[in-house]
Amino acid sequence: MTSSRSSDKSPVDEKPQYDIQEVSALPSSESVVTRPRLPYKWQLTMILLTCLCTFGNHWSNGLIVALKTTIIKETKINNSQFATLVAVTNLVNTFLCIGLGFSIDKWGGPVMSVILAFFHLSGTMVMSGGATNNLNSYPLLILGKVLAAIGDGSLDNAQHRIFSTYFAPGRGFAFSIGAIWGIANLAQFTGSTTANVIATNLGSYAWALWISSAISMFSLICAVAVFFLDIHLRRKYNVTDQTSGRRHLGVAKKATFRLSAIRHLPFTFWMVVLFAVFENAGVQSFVSISTQFAQQRLKKGAVVGGWVSNFYLLLPACLTPFIGIYIDVFGQRIAFLFLSGVTFLISMLLLKFSHTVPTFIAAYVFYALSQCVTPAPQVEIIRSIIPDPQYFATGFAIKKSVVQASIVIITTAAGKLQDDTASDSLDPAVTLWLVYAFVSVAISGVLLVLSYTAKNALPAARLSQIAPSALPAEVERIALVKGLSQAGKEKEAEIDEDGEEVDRSKVHEKMLKSPNPGASSVMAWGFSMVSIGIIVLGWIMFGLGVGWGVHGSVVAGTVGE
């Protein structure tokens, strides 16, 4: 087989020797089976169906919090019990996300999407049944929430894994992630804003839950369609797995279900996780108080407060796909991290130090902007900075698990501060989000400065800033400085551990992103212990929150990214 290379190759080990032909498996046959390249129409179909896999998940994401008053009244529970109901998703996924991330890397996104969508559907149906015919069973609501949480926490990770298989960085991956979150925000906006309307007009909040179950069934059907479409495309077309550069076979080539994968994650990855602990958790958790905060500042009812607070979902729905296109073309991933932190900080500063209505509206606009530039760049940078893209779901799951715990910590602490005020004001609680915003800006700012002033010290950070078209040249420049390459030597093919040819620049890129062998184990396990400490603290804070009886409205009812 022959292979041709061009200068605009993606930064993934894409091996063109799979592009044209495949020798027939029949030993007596001399024929050659030719498979055409995957058409764009099927790539777009895969994006659409994969995005719809979590439509039901995000539709139901804000239902419980939106229906808080009705659920407390009908089930005769208190704020502490309601806090447990809405926080169970975050708690379940503090540990579960990691195990499921390993499984997604091992078995692939399509099959795991079906399994996780089924869990979500079963959970929503149990919750719907618990509210039907005036049953109003709190234990059934808890059971349903736990079942749904198994699917909620990692279904988006399975989606990302599908897209990382079909799309390389700089060749549609960031756009596909932006499309996911555009549709997700539209689903969550529609679900949360129509919940009380449905419950009021149809006479029971059970109808809102059953409609959510029907939409979750639709999402499960889409997940099954993705599973069979993946099989069809692999059989009919030449599909390259963009995480390995080899032909997409639907199964992992090597066992990735092992904790030793942590050793493959560089220092830059852990810095991104630390950033997400503050910025991502801060941005996502503020959702849980946004409606009540809008009511207090605007002195309006729940309907007006809900529409104003849900504005943050509309702007990201429109902009995230275009942000993905920009990243695909120009890179600048760390710059987007810094931008998300800065817009979050401006929003919290305006809310903390000004109480006028125009300033409040401006603060929510900046908050919406921070939502725009949070999901897609963070998902994309995880894919970009890890040495082996086959560990993508594992790395993303580690980040998400720690973010879940951080959400529980900040929302529980905010609830305690609110309860300790005589007027039930949320103003003291905003201080916590302001601190989170300051820390996130500091972390991303340092990382951004280092990516330009210390280009060779953190290669993974530097390369994440580079446009895909300029990546090979930058890889060779850093490799030359570090002694991995020789000046004037032409790029040659090298043989990888599986005996196949890969571009020299791809080998250098992987080596540059990999942790230093001497310090990798100590660093990886050190950061892992810190992450576990944050998760344990999240559980402790939740237990304290139950004891304090904190307001359920300030315990996160959303799944942080």
Side-chain angles (χ1 to χ4, degrees), residues 286 289-301 304-310 360 364 426:
F286 187 77
I289 71 162
S290 58
T291 297
Q292 188 178 11
F293 197 79
Q295 289 177 249
Q296 291 184 2
R297 284 292 176 90
L298 299 177
K299 295 180 174 57
K300 299 291 183 179
V304 174
W307 280 99
V308 171
S309 64
N310 279 297
F360 172 82
Y364 268 50
L426 283 164

Side-chain angles (χ1 to χ4, degrees), residues 69-239:
T69 304
T70 303
I71 291 175
I72 289 179
K73 178 183 177 181
E74 297 294 335
T75 58
K76 298 177 174 59
I77 60 176
N78 56 32
N79 276 324
S80 179
Q81 290 172 306
F82 185 81
T84 302
L85 176 64
V86 296
V88 70
T89 295
N90 302 96
L91 292 170
V92 167
N93 285 296
T94 50
F95 288 106
L96 192 60
C97 272
I98 298 178
L100 289 174
F102 280 125
S103 300
I104 292 168
D105 272 335
K106 173 61 181 173
W107 304 111
V111 64
M112 291 301 297
S113 291
V114 174
I115 294 172
L116 295 170
F118 175 79
F119 270 105
H120 175 75
L121 173 62
S122 63
T124 57
M125 294 185 69
V126 170
M127 285 191 290
S128 302
T132 302
N133 294 329
N134 296 316
L135 181 59
N136 296 321
S137 171
Y138 177 70
L140 282 179
L141 289 178
I142 287 287
L143 175 60
K145 219 29 172 112
V146 170
L147 289 173
I150 297 174
D152 289 350
S154 296
L155 188 52
D156 57 343
N157 197 357
Q159 286 179 302
H160 301 158
R161 191 61 171 82
I162 293 171
F163 286 152
S164 69
T165 299
Y166 278 87
F167 302 99
R171 292 193 171 185
F173 179 68
F175 167 75
S176 65
I177 299 301
I180 283 180
W181 288 102
I183 293 178
N185 284 316
L186 285 175
Q188 188 172 341
F189 175 81
T190 308
S192 60
T193 54
T194 60
N196 284 295
V197 176
I198 293 171
T200 300
N201 286 279
L202 297 182
S204 173
Y205 72 97
W207 282 107
L209 297 179
W210 277 116
I211 290 174
S212 173
S213 297
I215 296 173
S216 297
M217 173 65 78
F218 168 74
S219 291
L220 176 59
I221 293 172
C222 290
V224 173
V226 167
F227 175 76
F228 285 107
L229 178 61
D230 178 66
I231 294 175
H232 169 72
L233 296 181
R234 286 189 281 110
R235 288 177 176 175
K236 187 173 182 179
Y237 298 100
N238 170 51
V239 181

Side-chain angles (χ1 to χ4, degrees), residues 246-268:
R246 301 178 179 87
R247 184 179 159 207
H248 177 34
L249 299 175
V251 295
K253 193 171 181 65
K254 58 183 179 181
T256 55
F257 192 83
R258 59 188 185 212
L259 287 175
S260 61
I262 294 175
R263 293 188 295 104
H264 298 271
L265 304 175
F267 175 78
T268 304

